[in-house]
Amino acid sequence: MKTENLNEQTESTNAECLQRPDRRLNLGCGKDLRVGYINSDLLGGDVQCDLRKFPWPWPDNYADEILMWNVLEHMPDTEAAVMEVRRILKPGGVFHGRVPFCYSQMAFAHQQHFHYFHVRLFEQMANDLRFELVKAELAVDNVTLTHKLRNLIPFRKFLGQLLLNMWDAVDFELRKPSNRS
């Protein structure tokens, strides 16, 4: 299906979603459709949108919350994507998600991963892009038997300094300041 036809077919659906009272966006949702969110992905969800192309179809100061779970690593221009999130968030709005930890096996396991993330990157991102850092912390997956066995290892935080693949992801939360900066 051509992108032009896709855009024409979804234009009315997108307009209807913009009128909904829920102001929580689940961007790059894939098959993870969440209740209470406007779910958006290239070929699915409530609003079909190519997040690699700017601007996204939401007005300024629209959303109370934006969720991007394992999405930012797929964005060719991460900074532009985060600035677009900032534009769409209302003052005081929250942007949270998960990205692969730069030293995890999952960071390099997908050919469409453009970027790799460390916890400290979110401190810099918050400062550079005028967000408040609420949290940026290492996280683990508990999906496979390998994950489950590795997660039983005691002293993970200490060993994580020596054995870098003890962590799978970085969970983050950024808040757009309430003042109009």
Side-chain angles (χ1 to χ4, degrees):
M1 178 181 295
K2 292 185 177 181
T3 305
E4 297 85 27
N5 293 343
L6 175 65
N7 289 341
E8 289 171 13
Q9 292 172 352
T10 60
E11 205 168 288
S12 63
T13 304
N14 293 356
E16 290 171 17
C17 284
L18 290 175
Q19 303 306 318
R20 286 176 32 183
D22 22 350
R23 300 296 177 138
R24 297 168 27 171
L25 304 176
N26 179 15
L27 301 181
C29 65
K31 295 179 182 177
D32 181 22
L33 303 177
R34 296 187 181 215
V35 175
Y37 285 80
I38 297 173
N39 298 286
S40 178
D41 203 276
L42 180 60
L43 297 175
D46 305 309
V47 175
Q48 294 179 345
C49 173
D50 185 347
L51 296 175
R52 297 168 296 180
K53 296 180 182 174
F54 306 101
W56 296 341
W58 293 277
D60 295 358
N61 302 313
Y62 173 80
D64 296 308
E65 177 186 341
I66 295 178
L67 171 65
M68 294 180 83
W69 202 257
N70 290 310
V71 176
L72 279 181
E73 67 272 16
H74 295 274
M75 304 297 293
D77 189 345
T78 303
E79 184 174 333
V82 174
M83 287 304 297
E84 190 67 359
V85 165
R86 189 178 194 290
R87 179 187 70 78
I88 295 168
L89 276 176
K90 292 179 180 178
V94 177
F95 171 39
H96 59 100
R98 174 177 273 200
V99 293
F101 179 49
C102 60
Y103 298 120
S104 74
Q105 292 176 349
M106 291 309 298
F108 304 99
H110 199 291
Q111 66 184 2
Q112 292 178 349
H113 286 183
F114 290 99
H115 302 283
Y116 313 105
F117 298 87
H118 193 280
V119 172
R120 288 188 298 260
L121 175 68
F122 289 94
E123 295 169 12
Q124 179 183 345
M125 187 184 297
N127 288 331
D128 293 350
L129 304 179
R130 300 183 331 236
F131 276 98
E132 297 168 0
L133 178 65
V134 176
K135 80 171 185 176
E137 57 192 25
L138 293 170
V140 295
D141 289 327
N142 203 20
V143 179
T144 67
L145 180 59
T146 304
H147 287 133
K148 292 175 183 180
L149 291 173
R150 183 208 54 205
N151 294 345
L152 293 173
I153 297 172
F155 311 111
R156 174 187 313 286
K157 287 188 179 185
F158 172 73
L159 290 174
Q161 302 298 318
L162 304 171
L163 307 169
L164 296 174
N165 66 352
M166 295 290 287
W167 305 99
D168 300 307
V170 177
D171 288 348
F172 67 90
E173 187 172 321
L174 303 171
R175 183 180 317 280
K176 182 176 178 179
S178 293
N179 58 11
R180 294 270 177 187
S181 63

